Amino acid sequence: QVQLVESGGGLVQAGGSLRLSCAASGRTFSSVIMGWFRQAPGKEREFVGAITWAGGNTYYADSVKGRFTISRDNAKNTVYLQMNSLKPEDTAVYYCASTGLRVGVNPRYYMDYDYWGQGTQVTVSS
């Protein structure tokens, strides 16, 4: 129903920046929440941030607050994750996700998301 494709990952030095994009296609709904999660090898999937599609309300993990910014372009069906002041511990595969048609969503809970992209690798060197 909904397809999500992440892009923009890469290799950067600590302190650098990257902007990730997540393009959505297929059947979408204006009420959805778009989230970013990340997972490093051997680690649990971790919430990064989220944004409500309609209102642009944002949520951030404490670990990225003040460094990462989520935005969206409704006309382009695209959500962005601007990552600044990157740290080696930010190294992970970053996934975007959509809650789809759902109510009572906890934007920080990965199980509340129905659609996922394939991920894009972000590597931050020391």
Side-chain angles (χ1 to χ4, degrees):
Q1 185 177 32
V2 176
Q3 296 81 45
L4 304 174
V5 179
E6 303 97 334
S7 62
L11 173 65
V12 297
Q13 294 186 196
S17 299
L18 284 173
R19 189 180 76 159
L20 307 184
S21 299
C22 176
S25 62
R27 189 175 181 85
T28 59
F29 304 93
S30 62
S31 60
V32 304
I33 295 175
M34 300 293 294
W36 286 97
F37 293 80
R38 65 188 183 186
Q39 188 164 24
K43 301 293 182 66
E44 298 284 340
R45 187 170 359 187
E46 178 186 18
F47 171 77
V48 176
I51 187 168
T52 62
W53 196 251
N57 306 107
T58 55
Y59 310 81
Y60 296 99
D62 289 341
S63 59
V64 306
K65 194 174 300 181
R67 299 188 298 121
F68 291 9
T69 303
I70 297 174
S71 61
R72 91 282 194 224
D73 186 332
N74 191 283
K76 296 181 179 179
N77 285 337
T78 300
V79 63
Y80 305 95
L81 181 66
Q82 178 66 48
M83 305 185 294
N84 299 325
S85 301
L86 283 161
K87 305 174 181 179
E89 51 262 44
D90 295 319
T91 296
V93 176
Y94 283 69
Y95 300 91
C96 69
S98 172
T99 57
L101 188 59
R102 187 186 289 265
V103 296
V105 170
N106 179 353
R108 300 173 180 268
Y109 186 42
Y110 76 93
M111 287 293 291
D112 278 356
Y113 291 80
D114 295 326
Y115 306 101
W116 293 82
Q118 290 297 309
T120 185
Q121 177 71 46
V122 172
T123 302
V124 184
S125 61
S126 301

